[in-house]
C-alpha cells in the first residue's frame, strides 16, 4: 500500500504517520546530551623560575648593603682624612679622595649587578606573558571553532526518532493504558503498518479506539471498511464467505465462549443440531434461516417467511423426533436465544468488497449477551478467515474490552496467526485473569497500570537484576600557597693572644779513668786517660693570633599546591529493573517495550505513542542514529590556526520521504469473493497547512453511498453518521 507522505492537504503533517517502516512510537533523545565538550585545558600563566627571582632579590639586598657600608665607612674615612690633612698635609686629602672613589666604585658595581638581575627577571616575565597571550588566543579560537561546529551539528540532529518493530516480531502484547492512550498507539502502529500489509482491527472496547486510525486512513486514500456491531450488524461481513460447517463451528465457539469449563458434550450436541439443520436448509444457509429453523424445532410460530412450507415440514417432522426434541430442548432454547439477535447479521452487505483496513468495532452501549456473542463471533470470524482464505497475511490488532476474551480463544487466534505468518497485536486493558496467564507469549509492552497488584505483576515479569548503586560520596578540595623570603647576615671578629714560655736547663757532668798494662820487656809500662763534660739549654717562646670573618646569605622560598579528592562508595543490590510505582506513574501515551537479551538481561525501551508528535520540530520517522559515547572525550589536538574538525557531518533533514513500496498484489482477498482493490496513487492537492494539531472527527453526514460491486474512493455506507439516529 503506497501513501504519499506530504504535509499539504486536509490533515497536513498527520500524513507523515504513513511513512515506511512499522513503528511503535517515538523515542526522545535530547540533542544537547550529544554535544561534545571542549576538553583542551585553558592555558595558564607560567611562573618565573625561582633562580631569577632569587638572583634579583640577592642583588637588591647586596646593593642596599653596599650602599649603606659605602656611605658609612667611605664617608667616615674621607672625613677623617680631610680632618687629618690640616695636621699631616695633602697626603691625607689624597687618601680621602681614594676612599670616596672606592666607595663609589663599590656602589656602581652593586647597581650594575642589580640592574642586570632585574632586567633578566623582567625579560623572562615578558617572554612568558607573550607566550601565554599567544597560547590563550589560539585556545580561545579553537574553542570558538569547536563550539560553532558543535552548534551546527546539534541543530541538525533529530530529537525524536521512531522505535521500529523488530523484523521477527510476530506477536505483541500491550497491557494497561487508558482508552486515549490505546487509541494513540493504535493510530501510530496502524498507519505505519498500512504501508506494508493489510490490517484487521477487532475493537471490543465499546469506545471506538479505531476511530482516529480509520479517519486518517480514509483521508490518505486507503480503502476502509468499518463494521459497527451491533448497531450496523446488517452491513457486517463477519459471517460472510463462511461455509456452513465454518459457520456452525464459529457459532458454537461463540455461544460457549463465556464458559471455560464448557463440556465437550454440550458443544457436540449444539454442533450436531446446527449441522443437521444446515443440511435440511440445503445450499442457502444464513443466520435468518437458521433462526427460523430453530424456532420450527422448538415448535414456535415463524413469521419471517424465509422458509418454504416444505422446508418447515421437513425440519419439524424429519430432523428430530419428539423424544430427541425433549432431550435437547435446553440446547435448542439456548441456540434460539443466541441466534435470534443475530439474524440481521450481514443481510445488507450488498456485495461490498473488503477494505485494506477492516475495523470490526463494538459501538457504545451497555453490555449484553448479544454484544458479548458478537465479540466472540468476530474473533472466530477472523480466525476462520485466516485459516481458510488464501490471501496476503495481514496484521491483526485485537483491542480487548473490560470483559476480555477467554484464554483458549486468544491462544487459538495466536496459533492461527503464527501458522499463517500474520502479525498479531493484543491490547489488554488490564493485567489479570487471562491476560496474566498469557503474558510472555510474544514481545511485551506496558502502558500505565494504575492498579498496584497489576503493577506488581508487571514488575515481576520485567524482573530483577544485580547492580552496584552509589551509597556514599565524599568530595574534598583544597589549595595551599606558601611564600617566604629570608635574609641572614652574620659578622664575627675574634682576637686571641697566646704566650708560651719554656725554660729547659740541663747539666751533665762525667769523668772516666782507665789504666792498661802493655806487657813486653817492661812490666811496669802503663797508660791512663781521663774525660769530663757538661751541657745546659734554655727555650723561651711567645705567639699571638687575630681572626676576622663575615657571613651573609639570602633565602627565597615559594610553594603552591592544589589537592582534590573524590571518594565514592558502591554497594551490590538486587532490585527491580522497574519499580511498580514507576509503572503506576507513567504518562498517558508512555509505552515501555520489554526486550529480552541474550544471557537473561532485560532492556526496557521508553516510547511515546502520541500521534501529535509529528507536529513537533526535529521528528524523524526513522530510528535515531547511534553515536559512540566514548568519542565525546576523544578530541583531536588543535592545530593552529584551525584545529581539525573531529565531529561527524550533519545528518540528513529530519524527514525525507523514502521510496514507497509497490502496492501488494491482491491483498487480503477471499477465494470466493472479489479481491481487495489496489489502492490507487492519490496525488494530494496543496491545501492550507493547519497551524495546530486538530483532532480528526468522525465522518459527518452526507457522505456519498458506495455503489455495489466494488470500492470507490468514498467511505463505505456503514460509517457512523450516515443515517439519522445513528451513533454521532
Amino acid at each position: 500500500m503506497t501513501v504519499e507522505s506530504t504535509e499539504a492537504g486536509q490533515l497536513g503533517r498527520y500524513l507523515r504517520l504513513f511513512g515506511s517502516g512499522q513503528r511503535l512510537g517515538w523515542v526522545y533523545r535530547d540533542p544537547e546530551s550529544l554535544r561534545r565538550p571542549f576538553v583542551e585545558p585553558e592555558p595558564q600563566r607560567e611562573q618565573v623560575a625561582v633562580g631569577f627571582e632569587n638572583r634579583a632579590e640577592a642583588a637588591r639586598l647586596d646593593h642596599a648593603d653596599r650602599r649603606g657600608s659605602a656611605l658609612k665607612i667611605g664617608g667616615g674615612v674621607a672625613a677623617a682624612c680631610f680632618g687629618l690633612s690640616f695636621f699631616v698635609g695633602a697626603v691625607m686629602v689624597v687618601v680621602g679622595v681614594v676612599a670616596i672613589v672606592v666607595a663609589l666604585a663599590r656602589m656602581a658595581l652593586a647597581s650594575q649587578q642589580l640592574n642586570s638581575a632585574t632586567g633578566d627577571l623582567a625579560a623572562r616575565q615578558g617572554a612568558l606573558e607573550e607566550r601565554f597571550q599567544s597560547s590563550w588566543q589560539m585556545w580561545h579560537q579553537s574553542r570558538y571553532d569547536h563550539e560553532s561546529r558543535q552548534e551546527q551539528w546539534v541543530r541538525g540532529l533529530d530529537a525524536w526518532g521512531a522505535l521500529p518493530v523488530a523484523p521477527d516480531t510476530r506477536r505483541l502484547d500491550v497491557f494497561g493504558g487508558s482508552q486515549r492512550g490505546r487509541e494513540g498507539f493504535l493510530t501510530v502502529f496502524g498507519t505505519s503498518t498500512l504501508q506494508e500489509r493489510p490490517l484487521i482491527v477487532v475493537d471490543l472496547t465499546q469506545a471506538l479506539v479505531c476511530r482516529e486510525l480509520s479517519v486518517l486512513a480514509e483521508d490518505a486514500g486507503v480503502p476502509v471498511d468499518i463494521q459497527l456491531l451491533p448497531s450496523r450488524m446488517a452491513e457486517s461481513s463477519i459471517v460472510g464467505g463462511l461455509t456452513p460447517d465454518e459457520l456452525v463451528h464459529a457459532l458454537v465457539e461463540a455461544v460457549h465462549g463465556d464458559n471455560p469449563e464448557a463440556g465437550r458434550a454440550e458443544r457436540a450436541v449444539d454442533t450436531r443440531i446446527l449441522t443437521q439443520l444446515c443440511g435440511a436448509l440445503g445450499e442457502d444457509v444464513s443466520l435468518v434461516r437458521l433462526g427460523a429453523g430453530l424456532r420450527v424445532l422448538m415448535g414456535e410460530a415463524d413469521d419471517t417467511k424465509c422458509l418454504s412450507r416444505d422446508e418447515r415440514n421437513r425440519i419439524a417432522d424429519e430432523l428430530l423426533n419428539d423424544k430427541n426434541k425433549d432431550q435437547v430442548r435446553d440446547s435448542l432454547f439456548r441456540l434460539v436465544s443466541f441466534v435470534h439477535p443475530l439474524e440481521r447479521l450481514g443481510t445488507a452487505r450488498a456485495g461490498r468488497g473488503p477494505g485494506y483496513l477492516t475495523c470490526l468495532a463494538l459501538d457504545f452501549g451497555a453490555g449484553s449477551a448479544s454484544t458479548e456473542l458478537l465479540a466472540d463471533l468476530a474473533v472466530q470470524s477472523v480466525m476462520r478467515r485466516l485459516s481458510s482464505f488464501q490471501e496476503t497475511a495481514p496484521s491483526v490488532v485485537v483491542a480487548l474490552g473490560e470483559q476480555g476474551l477467554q484464554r483458549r480463544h486468544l491462544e487459538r487466534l495466536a496459533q492461527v496467526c503464527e501458522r499463517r505468518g500474520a502479525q498479531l497485536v493484543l491490547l489488554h486493558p488490564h493485567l489479570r485473569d487471562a491476560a496474566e496467564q498469557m503474558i510472555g507469549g510474544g514481545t511485551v509492552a506496558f502502558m500505565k497500570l494504575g492498579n498496584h497488584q497489576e503493577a506488581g505483576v508487571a514488575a515481576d515479569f520485567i524482573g530483577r537484576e544485580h547492580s552496584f548503586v552509589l551509597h556514599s560520596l565524599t568530595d574534598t578540595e583544597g589549595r595551599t600557597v606558601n611564600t617566604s623570603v629570608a635574609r641572614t647576615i652574620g659578622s664575627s671578629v675574634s682576637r686571641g693572644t697566646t704566650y708560651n714560655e719554656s725554660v729547659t736547663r740541663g747539666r751533665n757532668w762525667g769523668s772516666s779513668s782507665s789504666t792498661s798494662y802493655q806487657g813486653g820487656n817492661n812490666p811496669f809500662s802503663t797508660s791512663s786517660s781521663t774525660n769530663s763534660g757538661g751541657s745546659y739549654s734554655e727555650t723561651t717562646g711567645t705567639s699571638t693570633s687575630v681572626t676576622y670573618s663575615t657571613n651573609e646569605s639570602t633565602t627565597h622560598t615559594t610553594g603552591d599546591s592544589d589537592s582534590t579528592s573524590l571518594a565514592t562508595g558502591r554497594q551490590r543490590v538486587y532490585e527491580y529493573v522497574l519499580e511498580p510505582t514507576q509503572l503506576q506513574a507513567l504518562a498517558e501515551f508512555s509505552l515501555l517495550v520489554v526486550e529480552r537479551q541474550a544471557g537473561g538481561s532485560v532492556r526496557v525501551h521508553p516510547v511515546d505513542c502520541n500521534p501529535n508528535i509529528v507536529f513537533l520540530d526535529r521528528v524523524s520517522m526513522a530510528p535515531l542514529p547511534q553515536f559512540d559515547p566514548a568519542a565525546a572525550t576523544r578530541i583531536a589536538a588543535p592545530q593552529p590556526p584551525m584545529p581539525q574538525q573531529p565531529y561527524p557531518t550533519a545528518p540528513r533533514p529530519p524527514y525525507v520521504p523514502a521510496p514507497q513500496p509497490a502496492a501488494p498484489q491482491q491483498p487480503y482477498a477471499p477465494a470466493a469473493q472479489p479481491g481487495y482493490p489496489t489502492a490507487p496513487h492519490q496525488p494530494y492537492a496543496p491545501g492550507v497547512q493547519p497551524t495546530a494539531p486538530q483532532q480528526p472527527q468522525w465522518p459527518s453526514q452526507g457522505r456519498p453511498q458506495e455503489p455495489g460491486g466494488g470500492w470507490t474512493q468514498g467511505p463505505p455506507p456503514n460509517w457512523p453518521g450516515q443515517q439519522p439516529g445513528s451513533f454521532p
Side-chain angles (χ1 to χ4, degrees), residues 508-513 529-535:
N508 188 7
W509 301 96
S511 62
S512 62
S513 177
S529 62
T530 302
N531 295 321
S532 63
S535 65

Side-chain angles (χ1 to χ4, degrees), residues 225-241:
D225 182 17
I226 304 293
Q227 302 180 25
L228 293 181
L229 304 173
S231 61
R232 300 292 182 82
M233 68 169 62
E235 301 165 358
S236 176
S237 65
I238 61 176
V239 294

Side-chain angles (χ1 to χ4, degrees), residues 449-639:
L449 294 168
N451 184 275
H452 67 284
Q453 294 181 350
E454 297 179 10
V457 173
D460 288 332
F461 172 79
I462 296 174
R464 304 170 185 262
E465 64 179 2
H466 287 284
S467 61
F468 288 90
V469 298
L470 181 67
H471 71 88
S472 63
L473 177 64
T474 304
D475 190 359
T476 304
E477 183 175 356
R479 180 179 177 85
T480 303
V481 178
N482 295 323
T483 302
S484 62
V485 177
R487 181 190 177 198
T488 303
I489 298 177
S491 178
S492 63
V493 177
S494 61
R495 286 186 175 85
T497 301
T498 304
Y499 178 77
N500 295 322
E501 180 177 358
S502 99
V503 177
T504 303
R505 290 184 177 88
R507 187 179 183 90
N508 188 7
W509 301 96
S511 62
S512 62
S513 177
S514 63
T515 302
S516 62
Y517 176 69
Q518 298 180 351
N521 295 321
N522 186 6
F524 297 103
S525 176
T526 60
S527 64
S528 64
S529 62
T530 302
N531 295 321
S532 63
S535 65
Y536 178 82
S537 65
E538 182 176 353
T539 303
T540 301
T542 302
S543 64
T544 302
S545 63
V546 178
T547 304
Y548 178 82
S549 64
T550 300
N551 299 322
E552 180 177 345
S553 64
T554 301
T555 304
H556 185 189
T557 305
T558 300
D560 189 353
S561 64
D562 291 331
S563 63
T564 301
S565 64
L566 177 63
T568 59
R570 296 182 179 274
Q571 183 177 1
R572 188 171 184 258
V573 296
Y574 187 60
E575 296 179 332
Y576 280 120
V577 176
L578 279 179
E579 294 291 337
T581 53
Q582 294 176 286
L583 294 168
Q584 292 178 280
L586 292 176
E588 186 174 35
F589 292 99
S590 295
L591 181 72
L592 301 180
V593 182
V594 181
E595 178 186 358
R596 297 285 183 182
Q597 297 180 330
S601 60
V602 177
R603 183 178 181 184
V604 180
H605 301 274
V607 185
D608 197 312
C609 55
N610 189 348
N612 293 330
I613 288 180
V614 295
F615 282 87
L616 301 177
D617 296 329
R618 306 170 76 175
V619 177
S620 174
M621 298 295 107
L624 292 174
Q626 298 297 323
F627 300 100
D628 183 11
T633 58
R634 298 196 299 265
I635 306 297
Q639 300 178 1

Side-chain angles (χ1 to χ4, degrees), residues 179 205-209 211 228-231 361-367 371 727-728:
Q179 292 181 358
T205 63
Q206 293 186 300
L208 297 180
V209 296
R211 173 172 50 187
L228 293 181
L229 304 173
S231 61
L362 298 180
D363 54 8
F364 294 104
T371 302
F727 172 73

Side-chain angles (χ1 to χ4, degrees), residues 385-403:
R385 177 168 294 177
L386 292 175
S387 301
S388 304
F389 294 172
Q390 300 299 324
E391 59 190 8
T392 301
S395 289
V396 179
V397 178
V398 180
L400 300 173
E402 294 294 330
Q403 75 280 1

Side-chain angles (χ1 to χ4, degrees), residues 297-472:
L297 287 175
M298 288 288 296
E300 298 179 354
D302 179 34
D303 55 356
T304 58
K305 299 180 181 180
C306 61
L307 297 178
S308 64
R309 182 180 297 272
D310 294 337
E311 289 175 336
R312 285 197 298 269
N313 293 335
R314 185 168 58 253
I315 293 173
D317 299 334
E318 301 177 4
L319 194 62
L320 295 173
N321 56 34
D322 294 338
K323 183 178 179 180
N324 290 338
K325 289 180 182 179
D326 293 337
Q327 292 178 348
V328 298
R329 184 166 297 275
D330 293 339
S331 297
L332 289 174
F333 187 78
R334 179 173 58 246
L335 291 174
V336 169
S337 301
F338 277 107
V339 173
H340 177 68
L342 306 180
E343 291 182 359
R344 297 185 299 110
L345 190 61
T347 57
R349 184 65 178 175
R352 284 171 36 202
Y356 199 75
L357 169 63
T358 302
C359 296
L360 309 177
L362 298 180
D363 54 8
F364 294 104
S368 62
S370 61
T371 302
E372 296 175 1
L373 179 63
L374 283 171
D376 291 336
L377 192 58
V379 176
Q380 293 296 324
S381 174
V382 172
M383 286 192 291
R384 296 295 175 181
R385 177 168 294 177
L386 292 175
S387 301
S388 304
F389 294 172
Q390 300 299 324
E391 59 190 8
T392 301
S395 289
V396 179
V397 178
V398 180
L400 300 173
E402 294 294 330
Q403 75 280 1
L405 291 175
Q406 291 301 321
R407 175 183 176 184
R408 58 191 179 92
H409 290 170
L410 295 177
E411 288 181 345
R412 285 187 58 192
L413 177 61
Q415 292 174 359
V416 172
C417 291
E418 184 176 1
R419 184 170 63 251
R420 283 297 314 278
Q423 196 176 51
L424 175 63
V425 178
L426 299 176
L427 303 181
H428 305 269
H430 300 285
L431 184 52
R432 61 193 182 198
D433 300 332
E436 183 178 356
Q437 298 172 359
M438 295 186 64
I439 189 172
T443 303
V444 177
F446 297 102
M447 301 186 80
K448 183 177 181 179
L449 294 168
N451 184 275
H452 67 284
Q453 294 181 350
E454 297 179 10
V457 173
D460 288 332
F461 172 79
I462 296 174
R464 304 170 185 262
E465 64 179 2
H466 287 284
S467 61
F468 288 90
V469 298
L470 181 67
H471 71 88
S472 63

